[in-house]
Amino acid sequence: MEPCTGVALEVAFLGSDAAAGIASGRLTLDAGDPKTALDFVRPYTVQVPDGGANLDIPGLRPTIGVFVSDLAFMPLGAGFRQTMTIEWISELEIRAGGPGCEPVSVSCDLGGCGSS
């Protein structure tokens, strides 16, 4: 499979709270193909107790480990730019790509982000 062309994915790291295990960044996806998809690979689900209290007690339930805000969409010719602020628990892996191509990806942890 060939790498996706016309797809740029970046997460500008904004900082973290190591004690809470949460980090944040500003995600930008530029795509030349309107069929480009963005996938949150990790942490797709994390275990959180009812009521969202302490993570080390019984009675955990799965929940999404990525939180999105400030979502914006801008058409760019045949493609688009999607931006958002994201917060994640511990580690983040996201991919963007279209049909028939190898997606681009970015991985982040509590110390920063990098393309892979």
Side-chain angles (χ1 to χ4, degrees):
M1 198 179 304
E2 294 293 318
C4 288
T5 57
V7 176
L9 179 62
E10 177 186 358
V11 177
F13 188 72
L14 298 177
S16 67
D17 180 342
I22 296 175
S24 64
R26 185 75 182 152
L27 182 147
T28 301
L29 169 63
D30 288 320
D33 183 346
K35 294 181 183 177
T36 301
L38 180 66
D39 295 316
F40 291 93
V41 178
R42 184 180 49 167
Y44 187 71
T45 60
V46 293
Q47 300 295 313
V48 175
D50 292 334
N54 192 340
L55 292 178
D56 60 0
I57 62 172
L60 301 180
R61 60 182 171 79
T63 190
I64 302 296
V66 178
F67 311 95
V68 176
S69 62
D70 302 322
L71 191 62
F73 179 86
M74 294 156 277
L76 297 174
F80 64 91
R81 171 175 285 167
Q82 181 82 59
T83 61
M84 63 191 80
T85 300
I86 54 175
E87 291 183 301
W88 60 90
I89 297 172
S90 186
E91 296 179 324
L92 171 73
E93 182 181 350
I94 51 176
R95 289 187 300 226
C101 64
E102 185 70 30
V104 296
S105 62
V106 173
S107 296
C108 303
D109 57 22
L110 297 179
C113 298
S115 298
S116 51

